[in-house]
Amino acid sequence: MNQAIASASTTPLSQTGILTSPNNSSNFQSSNPASPLPSIQGFGSPAQSATEPLSTAAQSPTKSSIRDNAISSLRQLCCKIVLMALEYNIKPVTHAEIFNHMLNWLVNWDQRQHGGLDESDGAKSWRPDKAVIDWLHSCLDVIWLLVEEDKCRVPFYEILRTGLQFIENIPDDEALFTLILEIHRRRDMMAMHMQMLDQHLHCPAFGTHRFLPQAFTSIPGEGAANLRYSPITYPSVLGEPLHGEELANSIQRGSLDWERALRCIRHAFRTSPSPDWWRRVLLLAPAYRQAGQPPSLGAVFTYDMICEATIDRIVELLKLTNSEVNCWQEWLVFSDIFYFLMKSGCIDFVDFVDKLVSRLTECDHHILRTNHVTWLLAQIIRVELVLNALNTDPRKMETTVKILSFHREDRSSDPNHPQSILLDYISSCQNLRIYSINTAIRDHTNNEQLQKGKQIDGWWRQVSKGERMMDYMSLDDRSIGMFWVVSYTMTQPACETVMNWLTSAGVTDYLPGPNVAPNERYTVLRETSPLPISLLSGLSIHLLCKLAQQMEESLFSSQVVPSIAMVETYARLMLIAPHSLFRSLFSHLAQRNPTLLSKPGVSLLAVEILNYRLLPLYRYQGKSKSLMYDVTKIISALKGKRGDHRLFRLAENLCMNLILSLRDFFLVKKEGKGPTEFTETLNRITISSLAIIIKTRGIAEADHMLLIQTMLEQILGNSQHTWSERTLRYYPALLREALIGRMDKRSLAIQAWQQVETTVINQCTQLFSPSADPTYFMTYIGHSFPQHRQHLCAGAWILMQGHPENINSANLARVLREFSPEEVTLNIYTMVDVLLHHIHVELQHGHSLQDLLLKACANLAFFMWTHELLPMDILLLALTDRDDDPYALHIVISLLDKQELQQRVKLFCMNRGPPEHWLYSGTFKRVELQKALGNHLSWKERYPTFFDDVAARLLPVIPLIIYRLIENDAMDPADRILDKYSSFLAYHPLRFTFVRDILAYFYAHLPGKLIVRILSVLDLSKIPFSESFPHHISSSNPAICPLPPPDYFAALLFGIVNNVIPPLNTNSKEISSTSLRSQHKSPPTSQSRLPNTSDGQKSFYQIQDPGTYTQLVLDTAVIEILSLPVSPSQIVSSLVQIVVHIQPTLIQSSNGLHSSPSNAILPNSPSGGSTDSMSAGRSTPSTSGVNTTNFVSRSGCTSQQLSCLLIQACGLLLAQLPLDFHSQLYMEASRLIKDSWWLTDGKRSKGELDSAVGYALLDPTWAAQDNTSTAIGNIVALLHSFFSNLPQEWLEGTHVIIKHLRPITSVAMLRIAFRIMGPLLLRLAGAHSLFNKTLQLLLNTMVDVFGRNSQPSIPVEASEIADLIDFLHHVVHYEGQGGPVQSNSKPRPEVLALCGRAAENLRPDIQHLLSHLKPDMSSSIYAATYPKMVQNSA
């Protein structure tokens, strides 16, 4: 006994945590894998005790019973000794050890060794005897004494995070059961503060990033990014958001989390997020997983979830088809995703077919009336995993028969429609393919299918016989349908026929220009028409893949230069099937042949395709950054290479477009270290892009905020530029502070010019005089100094004196071509500085400003388009960047106003064809190399252009010039330039994003006229604007423009609900054909028309910018709000009022049709809550002013469900708006909370108030179902929805709402403050500074109520805020861990110090409960357990 007592009191506790987890095995397992609870194992359990022998297998049952009784008595004696010792002052570390041992004894209370007893006999018959019960009670006495509030030797929170309530084989003991119930109660109360109020509703809105706490800080690079952008999380029992493969596998079918996951996946099938999104969140099907493959921490969906959601989507599309809705486009989009999932191994083909058959025969047997399912399976029949299943799987025959069972005889009303023909013959196509795999299926085929197979062969022989070429531009509907059919049966012949069509016009010799020798001419394919996208879209995906491979061979490996038609057709293939066909072009070509990109013309063609055809596709795929790094390598290799200008300038232009296309933070180097390899131009554009990103979208993650300083150092280290004050005043503060102190080096540049001016002028005179010595040219190139060469253009500009004809332009062109691209860029920037300085000097000498500007423009015109000596995009950018000079922008405006430039742009538009190139059915015209690129870029170049043009290089430049003009208050010139170049900007691949960003960037600084002009850049007919939107922005007097009615704002929110937020009623078993048809019909005309009801799912090529229809709808709503000529406070007030009063408004509008909702996706309402007290004084529906009858009927939701979705939609929308709206939201929310009757009505009892507040802050879905929603509940839910969509950087502004609520004088208001800000602390776990500020703010609110000098109107006991105390303990452990709390989690020293300082201002009884959140080793078990941690902080 003495030995046991000694070991119970002296065994050291592990220094890694209060509750240790030794290597010994334990039978304790958490019943919820979502819980990050430790597996408790420790000293003193029967199987581990040092007093017991290692093996007792030979002991008799009698001896075992005696031994167990002895151990029980020993433990009870130990507990009595401990109880007596606790009456004295014991060090916190001893308290921690005692607590640890007691918990381990309780968890392992039934671990005994029964010798030879069989488990079925002994374990089942054994019951705890009195001795066991006695020591259990003694353990409980010790634990209660340790956690009692009067002494608080150990915080009660330590019990909450142990998982004691999950022990198996709980004895039938009231005392232990009481403790477990208390654990559950307090744990649930604590977890409530961790979760957003819309926790049960949040799924990703694919229109925007879903920012999540960085749960695993040890995962580097891309893996960590995948975790941060996980689309869905599952709450643990402690309220923490979790995700990962093991967690996803633990979600039970039919549970609330399961339904949330399926909502997410079904929504993804409808909205088509990028393949990159699917790869991050999916798991391989179990059949395709390799043994020993580690779990995926980023995965959130299991195979079963994907399989069920896929079948749901098939059933949904079948119902749409049966309801006579034309949903062929939806089928095509779905087949692209389905092919991708099957090829990636996310769907087990055999199991999928089994489940699909079961679903269609048992549950939905009446809906399979067409051959769409057969067609869908025919798409993937050639996928390798499918072929393996049909060849080698033991169930291959059974699976084949099931596939054939989907065949239906098509009975289309239009038998000659291509789609009808394909569906009519697809059964035969599939039979032929399966028969080639397994001849045993002959018994399962019928004669009609065989006859159709012969008809396919007969048609193909007829159209392909002889030398007659199939003319794809003149095919009738039946021929199109039959060719679609052939693509499923005879892929190779069909592929050859398409390639023959594209090469049918033959070849011709191409001689680029007079400077190229005749023996250097190219053989070029003559032009034909590219295949129309309407034809390509119906071809089998397998044929599309073969076509892409064949075209890549012809484009990049052939000796013959391809036609534009072939390049355009290749681009259309990529756009049609972005999931199935996408490949990173540079990596793909390098894999095919590592030397391929070094061949003449290959890199040029690849960069042209990327810059002018596939830029939006790479952004959609999330590959813009990796492409930028690849292009940067080309730029780095060429920028110092003499004479290689064409590829360099094209790659530089592509890099400009890529940088400006990014919508979140990026590193300028993939490795993140060392100086940037960007050019001076790209460095400047990177700063502009960062300013736009940070100001309009914020910095997403805490680690990005740490990296931005390094990135700026990389850029500024290689850049000589300084930004003007007018530019910096619009930059976000983070950038402005970094840039405002930079030294202006223009004076040094001018000094350098003055030092070399005489020499440079002398050199230029010898080079550019009409009688120049031809031999001096080679002397200059070979022997001139770099400081002289960089001033060459400046010297030439001085010699011109406004008369360009004074110099020898041919020699100047020769010299510039022999320079490296980097030297030409440096010449441009130097020349701009010199000419602006020269203007100032001439003005001092009395010359006319107008004459000087005219001469400057004449000289620059000579350089840019008269002799095409310099790239005009770089020259215009160089002038624009000198906006701190009063004359630079005047010159830019004059140049853009010149007819020569406008004619060049018009010629480009005429030669280029329509902006929507994928719809163009004519023959593309190849522009001569010199006419397309000008003299400087085309000199000695042989390879012809496809889409490239010097005018096209201005597409990223014009928007940047508009930004600069607005920054300098040049509104009228900006308006004029947008007007003149609006048709040109239609070719901008990302013009929708440009409009959205510029309105957000300059919000509240743009006149109404300019806003309308900016909007005119868009093709308004294709943007889902509200019907009344033009009326609201066209007021003749914006100063008195009335606020749009509530119906207008409600329509915006309903549009987001219908198109962006995952709907609640997405289970295809519950959707009627009527509701499906309503989704595809145009809404009635009214002011409150749903602004974004689509006619069906859009393909990617129809919405390349912004990429998904959800993003289009969301950003359109943002554009509308940013364009309204009313203040942010009015807009926010209107939106908030809709949310505050939405439930009674919807319930009244629905006329009681949905008064009894029943939906498994919403949680059941808990009992409790004073509905009487909440109904009193509630706002009436009339206060919102919204007529929602049409919205409720069209949404397919009950009014209660719709109200929750509207709250989420409002938060999502507000999170996209600039910071001006955020501050107004915080003020409006705090005003509504403070004005609530709960807090202003002094007659309410404390119990009634606590009941009302507590119920309102649980979850708005419960209140919505009970019709007991409150203003405060809705406001808090709105704020949580808003917070969850904010980037990390913008979260700091959330403190404003609490500052407006202070001083806080009641526990009710304190709970509201904690409920608002509590979940934010999880987001801030990786941002230590902001976490500390937020925690400090919450502690200050506690001081308001429980401070030493506070005088609350109603006395409050400390025990009433036990849940807040538990929450504070939990959240500091969460932040210390950087994610979900583990057994070894510990608070950071600075956080303990912060809590300790705040606790000094609290009442003694409250201070006592926080005594362990201090760095004091004499009172804190955390400080005592981790003494090194505290010593280091000191």
Side-chain angles (χ1 to χ4, degrees):
M1 181 178 296
N2 291 335
Q3 182 181 2
I5 297 173
S7 49
S9 59
T10 60
T11 301
L13 182 69
S14 169
Q15 295 300 308
T16 60
I18 297 301
L19 300 178
T20 59
S21 300
N23 294 329
N24 311 68
S25 62
S26 169
N27 67 352
F28 165 74
Q29 295 291 334
S30 170
S31 65
N32 188 342
S35 174
L37 301 175
S39 297
I40 303 177
Q41 181 67 36
F43 170 85
S45 60
Q48 313 295 336
S49 175
T51 64
E52 301 172 28
L54 296 178
S55 174
T56 57
Q59 292 182 1
S60 66
T62 303
K63 291 183 178 180
S64 176
S65 176
I66 295 173
R67 176 183 169 282
D68 290 340
N69 289 333
I71 292 175
S72 298
S73 300
L74 175 62
R75 288 185 173 178
Q76 186 174 6
L77 179 59
C78 290
C79 290
K80 290 180 179 180
I81 295 173
V82 168
L83 287 171
M84 289 187 291
L86 289 178
E87 297 298 325
Y88 301 91
N89 292 328
I90 300 177
K91 293 182 178 180
V93 66
T94 307
H95 290 153
E97 290 186 13
I98 294 172
F99 180 78
N100 187 38
H101 296 319
M102 293 299 112
L103 281 179
N104 280 314
W105 285 356
L106 286 177
V107 168
N108 301 294
W109 72 272
D110 63 338
Q111 280 196 7
R112 304 168 306 103
Q113 305 210 5
H114 297 287
L117 285 179
D118 181 77
E119 180 180 354
S120 59
D121 298 329
K124 289 184 180 179
S125 61
W126 184 81
R127 293 291 183 273
D129 53 24
K130 183 177 183 302
V132 173
I133 294 298
D134 287 344
W135 76 254
L136 276 177
H137 286 178
S138 297
C139 283
L140 292 176
D141 291 340
V142 172
I143 289 177
W144 280 117
L145 193 60
L146 286 171
V147 299
E148 68 173 343
E149 291 182 357
D150 291 342
K151 296 291 186 180
C152 198
R153 298 175 178 90
V154 173
F156 194 89
Y157 167 73
E158 285 302 314
I159 304 183
L160 301 185
R161 71 171 178 139
T162 60
L164 177 63
Q165 68 274 25
F166 295 122
I167 62 175
E168 297 178 357
N169 195 21
I170 300 177
D172 186 12
D173 181 72
E174 182 179 353
L176 181 59
F177 192 63
T178 300
L179 175 61
I180 292 176
L181 281 181
E182 180 65 9
I183 293 173
H184 277 289
R185 185 187 69 83
R186 290 187 61 162
R187 185 206 64 197
D188 292 343
M189 289 296 293
M190 180 194 73
M192 180 188 72
H193 297 288
M194 305 284 288
Q195 299 180 17
M196 298 287 184
L197 269 180
D198 61 349
Q199 179 71 42
H200 299 289
L201 296 172
H202 251 303
C203 289
F206 297 109
T208 186
H209 282 304
R210 173 85 167 132
F211 302 115
L212 297 172
Q214 187 176 357
F216 300 91
T217 56
S218 60
I219 300 175
E222 184 68 19
N226 293 346
L227 291 175
R228 286 197 298 271
Y229 289 95
S230 176
I232 190 173
T233 58
Y234 306 99
S236 74
V237 294
L238 296 179
E240 303 158 331
L242 304 175
H243 49 79
E245 177 180 345
E246 295 177 348
L247 174 62
N249 285 326
S250 72
I251 304 301
Q252 296 182 352
R253 184 184 299 272
S255 66
L256 178 63
D257 284 329
W258 179 277
E259 289 303 323
R260 290 177 62 241
L262 288 188
R263 279 181 64 201
C264 185
I265 306 170
R266 294 178 190 130
H267 190 54
F269 279 129
R270 290 193 182 97
T271 56
S272 306
S274 73
D276 183 59
W277 180 89
W278 290 103
R279 290 188 189 97
R280 289 203 309 262
V281 301
L282 296 186
L283 294 171
L284 288 177
Y288 306 137
R289 300 207 57 173
Q290 298 179 357
Q293 183 175 343
S296 170
L297 295 176
V300 290
F301 304 125
T302 63
Y303 159 70
D304 289 328
M305 294 174 182
I306 290 295
C307 189
E308 181 174 334
T310 303
I311 294 174
D312 284 346
R313 181 59 175 165
I314 292 173
V315 170
E316 183 180 1
L317 290 176
L318 286 173
K319 289 181 178 180
L320 270 175
T321 303
N322 295 339
S323 60
E324 299 181 358
V325 170
N326 182 10
C327 58
W328 181 238
Q329 187 65 54
E330 280 88 339
W331 280 107
L332 291 176
V333 174
F334 176 66
S335 69
D336 180 33
I337 301 175
F338 183 63
Y339 185 95
F340 167 77
L341 295 177
M342 190 65 71
K343 185 177 181 180
S344 301
C346 299
I347 295 178
D348 182 342
F349 177 71
V350 174
D351 182 65
F352 172 78
V353 171
D354 288 344
K355 292 178 178 177
L356 183 60
V357 168
S358 176
R359 176 73 176 272
L360 294 181
T361 57
E362 298 176 9
C363 302
D364 297 291
H365 61 277
H366 60 287
I367 66 169
L368 186 59
R369 307 171 191 171
T370 65
N371 270 331
H372 284 85
V373 174
T374 299
W375 166 80
L376 188 66
L377 296 178
Q379 288 279 36
I380 52 99
I381 199 72
R382 294 175 187 263
V383 172
E384 183 179 359
L385 293 175
V386 175
L387 287 175
N388 291 340
L390 294 176
N391 273 310
T392 61
D393 192 275
R395 296 173 293 169
K396 61 183 180 181
M397 194 63 198
E398 177 188 350
T399 302
T400 301
V401 173
K402 290 181 178 179
I403 292 173
L404 298 178
S405 71
F406 294 123
H407 295 179
R408 294 293 183 273
E409 297 303 320
D410 193 77
R411 297 290 183 264
S412 173
S413 58
D414 185 4
N416 289 321
H417 193 279
Q419 175 189 338
S420 302
I421 293 172
L422 174 60
L423 294 176
D424 187 27
Y425 282 88
I426 196 65
S427 297
S428 178
C429 296
Q430 192 180 71
N431 276 351
L432 292 173
R433 183 59 193 163
I434 293 178
Y435 183 77
S436 68
I437 301 172
N438 185 354
T439 57
I441 68 159
R442 179 179 292 274
D443 296 339
H444 299 277
T445 60
N446 57 46
N447 186 58
E448 184 177 355
Q449 291 170 353
L450 296 176
Q451 291 300 319
K452 285 183 177 179
K454 295 178 180 178
Q455 293 175 21
I456 297 171
D457 290 339
W459 180 86
W460 181 247
R461 285 195 299 269
Q462 179 180 357
V463 298
S464 60
K465 66 181 178 181
E467 298 180 356
R468 186 174 58 176
M469 176 63 57
M470 183 182 293
D471 185 358
Y472 289 101
M473 304 310 297
S474 59
L475 294 179
D476 58 19
D477 284 352
R478 176 166 179 78
S479 297
I480 291 174
M482 290 304 296
F483 187 67
W484 287 357
V485 172
V486 168
S487 73
Y488 289 85
T489 57
M490 294 176 278
T491 306
Q492 187 59 38
C495 179
E496 292 173 356
T497 304
V498 172
M499 295 303 296
N500 290 339
W501 162 259
L502 293 172
T503 59
S504 61
V507 298
T508 185
D509 288 338
Y510 178 78
L511 187 61
N515 299 313
V516 179
N519 61 349
E520 295 184 351
R521 64 183 64 199
Y522 274 95
T523 301
V524 180
L525 279 176
R526 287 193 175 98
E527 289 301 327
T528 57
S529 298
L531 268 65
I533 209 161
S534 57
L535 173 65
L536 293 172
S537 62
L539 300 177
S540 70
I541 296 178
H542 182 65
L543 175 58
L544 296 181
C545 293
K546 290 190 72 69
L547 276 174
Q549 294 173 0
Q550 191 64 45
M551 286 183 185
E552 286 168 352
E553 187 70 26
S554 298
L555 293 177
F556 303 111
S557 300
S558 174
Q559 298 299 317
V560 179
V561 176
S563 63
I564 298 177
M566 183 177 290
V567 179
E568 173 63 28
T569 303
Y570 176 76
R572 292 178 183 183
L573 291 179
M574 298 296 110
L575 298 177
I576 285 173
H579 289 77
S580 305
L581 298 187
F582 177 79
R583 66 283 309 272
S584 182
L585 189 55
F586 283 128
S587 301
H588 182 65
L589 294 178
Q591 288 174 1
R592 288 176 60 124
N593 185 350
T595 63
L596 195 59
L597 288 171
S598 62
K599 292 178 61 177
V602 172
S603 293
L604 282 170
L605 175 56
V607 177
E608 277 202 46
I609 293 174
L610 293 169
N611 197 34
Y612 298 113
R613 287 296 184 262
L614 301 183
L615 190 69
L617 176 63
Y618 274 74
R619 186 177 71 168
Y620 172 69
Q621 298 280 349
K623 302 299 182 183
S624 292
K625 294 178 186 178
S626 58
L627 178 58
M628 180 184 71
Y629 299 137
D630 290 338
V631 177
T632 302
K633 294 177 183 177
I634 297 176
I635 294 172
S636 178
L638 294 178
K639 66 181 180 180
K641 188 177 179 181
R642 287 172 53 178
D644 207 340
H645 298 279
R646 178 183 174 186
L647 178 57
F648 174 85
R649 293 299 173 193
L650 180 59
E652 186 179 44
N653 195 258
L654 171 58
C655 209
M656 287 185 205
N657 281 313
L658 287 169
I659 292 170
L660 293 170
S661 73
L662 296 173
R663 291 181 290 191
D664 55 5
F665 178 83
F666 60 97
L667 293 172
V668 292
K669 291 195 68 175
K670 189 174 185 179
E671 299 81 10
K673 298 179 181 179
T676 171
E677 296 175 345
F678 283 171
T679 63
E680 174 67 19
T681 304
L682 294 178
N683 281 330
R684 298 183 184 189
I685 287 179
T686 300
I687 294 294
S688 297
S689 180
L690 276 177
I692 295 170
I693 290 171
I694 295 172
K695 191 169 182 181
T696 63
R697 292 181 169 85
I699 300 176
E701 296 297 331
D703 55 349
H704 292 171
M705 299 181 70
L706 299 175
L707 290 171
I708 193 167
Q709 188 60 41
T710 302
M711 178 180 175
L712 289 175
E713 291 172 359
Q714 291 175 327
I715 296 172
L716 300 179
N718 283 358
S719 176
Q720 304 299 315
H721 187 56
T722 53
W723 284 260
S724 69
E725 291 183 5
R726 292 187 175 184
T727 296
L728 291 178
R729 67 176 176 172
Y730 285 99
Y731 272 18
L734 189 63
L735 281 182
R736 187 167 57 248
E737 293 170 1
L739 300 176
I740 200 168
R742 275 178 69 83
M743 184 181 70
D744 189 348
K745 297 183 179 180
R746 276 179 302 173
S747 59
L748 299 178
I750 298 303
Q751 289 177 15
W753 159 249
Q754 291 169 344
Q755 291 171 2
V756 301
E757 181 177 6
T758 303
T759 304
V760 170
I761 293 297
N762 180 53
Q763 291 174 337
C764 290
T765 302
Q766 296 183 64
L767 279 170
F768 306 142
S769 64
S771 58
D773 181 2
T775 61
Y776 184 73
F777 167 78
M778 295 308 300
T779 303
Y780 178 82
I781 293 298
H783 299 89
S784 58
F785 293 109
Q787 64 266 32
H788 294 155
R789 286 201 298 271
Q790 80 176 60
H791 293 91
L792 176 72
C793 289
W797 190 87
I798 295 294
L799 287 181
M800 289 180 190
Q801 297 179 355
H803 299 281
E805 65 276 5
N806 291 344
I807 69 171
N808 188 330
S809 60
N811 277 359
L812 177 57
R814 288 180 64 195
V815 175
L816 289 174
R817 282 192 291 266
E818 291 297 331
F819 279 3
S820 68
E822 190 174 35
E823 286 179 315
V824 172
T825 301
L826 188 56
N827 260 274
I828 292 173
Y829 287 114
T830 304
M831 182 183 69
V832 166
D833 286 339
V834 170
L835 75 87
L836 293 175
H837 171 72
H838 185 73
I839 291 175
H840 287 282
V841 172
E842 292 297 306
L843 282 174
Q844 293 174 3
H845 294 163
H847 292 278
S848 167
L849 175 61
Q850 185 176 2
D851 291 342
L852 291 172
L853 293 178
L854 286 174
K855 288 181 180 180
C857 290
N859 289 354
L860 292 173
F862 166 84
F863 278 107
M864 287 196 295
W865 50 73
T866 304
H867 291 278
E868 299 167 328
L869 302 175
L870 295 174
M872 58 183 174
D873 54 336
I874 307 301
L875 186 48
L876 285 172
L877 283 172
L879 284 165
T880 305
D881 282 338
R882 280 304 180 207
D883 61 320
D884 47 0
D885 187 283
Y887 310 118
L889 288 180
H890 286 285
I891 297 174
V892 172
I893 295 168
S894 299
L895 291 173
L896 292 176
D897 283 339
K898 279 190 170 293
Q899 286 298 315
E900 295 95 325
L901 180 56
Q902 294 180 33
Q903 287 297 328
R904 185 62 187 262
V905 168
K906 288 180 181 178
L907 182 64
F908 161 78
C909 296
M910 183 177 65
N911 292 330
R912 184 71 171 268
E916 295 180 332
H917 59 87
W918 56 90
L919 299 179
Y920 183 57
S921 59
T923 303
F924 285 90
K925 179 183 178 182
R926 193 189 300 275
V927 182
E928 293 181 16
L929 185 61
Q930 192 277 333
K931 290 183 178 179
L933 300 182
N935 293 324
H936 178 66
L937 295 179
S938 64
W939 179 260
K940 288 189 178 180
E941 287 288 339
R942 302 166 52 224
Y943 199 76
T945 61
F946 294 83
F947 314 113
D948 198 13
D949 193 288
V950 289
R953 308 283 181 88
L954 294 178
L955 284 171
V957 174
I958 298 292
L960 291 175
I961 293 175
I962 300 300
Y963 270 88
R964 284 291 185 270
L965 292 174
I966 296 174
E967 288 167 357
N968 287 270
D969 300 322
M971 304 299 179
D972 290 337
D975 185 284
R976 188 170 70 251
I977 290 172
L978 282 173
D979 182 33
K980 290 181 178 180
Y981 290 91
S982 59
S983 59
F984 174 63
L985 289 174
Y987 292 88
H988 196 295
L990 305 173
R991 57 175 168 158
F992 181 83
T993 301
F994 160 67
V995 171
R996 185 257 186 218
D997 286 349
I998 198 170
L999 291 176
Y1001 191 83
F1002 294 111
Y1003 182 71
H1005 293 90
L1006 298 175
K1009 178 184 175 184
L1010 184 56
I1011 290 176
V1012 173
R1013 182 68 68 192
I1014 291 172
L1015 293 174
S1016 68
V1017 172
L1018 302 173
D1019 185 349
L1020 299 179
S1021 64
K1022 297 181 179 178
I1023 308 299
F1025 285 119
S1026 301
E1027 188 172 296
S1028 61
F1029 174 61
H1031 167 74
H1032 295 308
I1033 63 171
S1034 60
S1035 174
S1036 58
N1037 187 358
I1040 59 173
C1041 182
L1043 179 70
D1047 271 3
Y1048 170 79
F1049 295 104
L1052 290 180
L1053 296 182
F1054 277 100
I1056 294 173
V1057 167
N1058 287 340
N1059 295 285
V1060 181
I1061 305 295
L1064 286 174
N1065 59 348
T1066 52
N1067 192 330
S1068 61
K1069 299 177 183 178
E1070 302 172 358
I1071 299 179
S1072 66
S1073 298
T1074 304
S1075 64
L1076 288 171
R1077 282 197 300 270
S1078 68
Q1079 297 176 14
H1080 284 253
K1081 289 185 178 180
S1082 299
T1085 302
S1086 72
Q1087 178 168 283
S1088 60
R1089 173 177 87 84
L1090 301 186
N1092 32 33
T1093 302
S1094 64
D1095 295 328
Q1097 190 172 2
K1098 303 289 185 183
S1099 293
F1100 168 73
Y1101 66 81
Q1102 296 173 297
I1103 44 173
Q1104 295 182 43
D1105 182 28
T1108 63
Y1109 194 73
T1110 53
Q1111 188 74 55
L1112 180 66
V1113 170
L1114 182 61
D1115 281 349
T1116 299
V1118 171
I1119 288 174
E1120 288 196 34
I1121 288 180
L1122 297 177
S1123 303
L1124 294 176
V1126 292
S1127 67
S1129 61
Q1130 292 175 294
I1131 295 171
V1132 169
S1133 178
S1134 297
L1135 290 171
V1136 171
Q1137 286 300 318
I1138 292 173
V1139 165
V1140 168
H1141 306 294
I1142 191 61
Q1143 286 92 355
T1145 304
L1146 290 174
I1147 292 167
Q1148 186 182 61
S1149 300
S1150 62
N1151 295 320
L1153 294 177
H1154 307 292
S1155 57
S1156 300
S1158 177
N1159 194 311
I1161 297 178
L1162 293 177
N1164 293 325
S1165 174
S1167 59
S1170 174
T1171 57
D1172 292 337
S1173 67
M1174 282 182 283
S1175 61
R1178 268 208 326 237
S1179 302
T1180 60
S1182 60
T1183 57
S1184 70
V1186 180
N1187 180 10
T1188 57
T1189 304
N1190 183 44
F1191 300 136
V1192 174
S1193 62
R1194 290 185 58 79
S1195 68
C1197 298
T1198 66
S1199 58
Q1200 290 86 349
Q1201 295 168 355
L1202 188 56
S1203 67
C1204 301
L1205 296 179
L1206 279 168
I1207 293 173
Q1208 186 180 353
C1210 188
L1212 174 61
L1213 176 59
L1214 287 169
Q1216 313 306 309
L1217 300 175
L1219 294 175
D1220 309 58
F1221 292 86
H1222 301 184
S1223 57
Q1224 295 298 326
L1225 172 63
Y1226 300 143
M1227 287 192 289
E1228 182 71 9
S1230 60
R1231 182 188 65 81
L1232 288 169
I1233 291 173
K1234 287 193 293 186
D1235 291 347
S1236 170
W1237 62 267
W1238 304 354
L1239 307 174
T1240 57
D1241 188 353
K1243 299 179 181 178
R1244 300 289 176 177
S1245 67
K1246 177 180 176 297
E1248 188 178 24
L1249 180 60
D1250 288 345
S1251 176
V1253 170
Y1255 187 79
L1257 299 182
L1258 287 177
D1259 198 299
T1261 51
W1262 296 332
Q1265 290 188 109
D1266 294 341
N1267 299 338
T1268 56
S1269 297
T1270 62
I1272 288 184
N1274 288 351
I1275 284 293
V1276 176
L1278 171 63
L1279 290 171
H1280 284 176
S1281 176
F1282 176 71
F1283 293 161
S1284 64
N1285 290 290
L1286 282 183
Q1288 188 87 38
E1289 181 198 7
W1290 290 355
L1291 290 176
E1292 190 161 1
T1294 58
H1295 296 174
V1296 173
I1297 186 171
I1298 303 301
K1299 293 176 182 177
H1300 284 305
L1301 291 176
R1302 296 184 67 191
I1304 293 176
T1305 59
S1306 66
V1307 174
M1309 185 66 86
L1310 179 65
R1311 289 190 173 280
I1312 292 172
F1314 265 77
R1315 195 66 188 91
I1316 290 173
M1317 301 299 293
L1320 268 186
L1321 290 169
L1322 306 184
R1323 283 280 312 274
L1324 304 178
H1328 299 310
S1329 176
L1330 188 51
F1331 175 88
N1332 291 346
K1333 291 180 182 178
T1334 308
L1335 181 61
Q1336 179 71 61
L1337 185 67
L1338 288 178
L1339 291 171
N1340 290 342
T1341 61
M1342 291 187 69
V1343 173
D1344 288 345
V1345 182
F1346 296 102
R1348 292 180 180 274
N1349 301 321
S1350 300
Q1351 298 293 332
S1353 56
I1354 303 176
V1356 180
E1357 296 295 330
S1359 59
E1360 296 187 23
I1361 60 166
D1363 57 320
L1364 301 185
I1365 302 297
D1366 293 338
F1367 168 73
L1368 289 173
H1369 282 80
H1370 184 54
V1371 81
V1372 299
H1373 281 80
Y1374 187 95
E1375 193 264 351
Q1377 178 69 27
V1381 176
Q1382 308 295 325
S1383 61
N1384 61 347
S1385 300
K1386 53 188 176 182
R1388 289 190 304 116
E1390 50 266 41
V1391 174
L1392 289 180
L1394 184 152
C1395 294
R1397 290 191 299 269
E1400 292 175 359
N1401 300 317
L1402 291 169
R1403 281 174 11 196
D1405 55 338
I1406 304 294
Q1407 186 177 146
H1408 182 65
L1409 297 178
L1410 295 173
S1411 59
H1412 294 280
L1413 295 182
K1414 292 181 180 181
D1416 183 4
M1417 296 175 59
S1418 64
S1419 62
S1420 168
I1421 62 170
Y1422 304 124
T1425 310
Y1426 312 112
K1428 292 182 180 180
M1429 176 184 72
V1430 179
Q1431 291 170 7
N1432 291 337
S1433 68

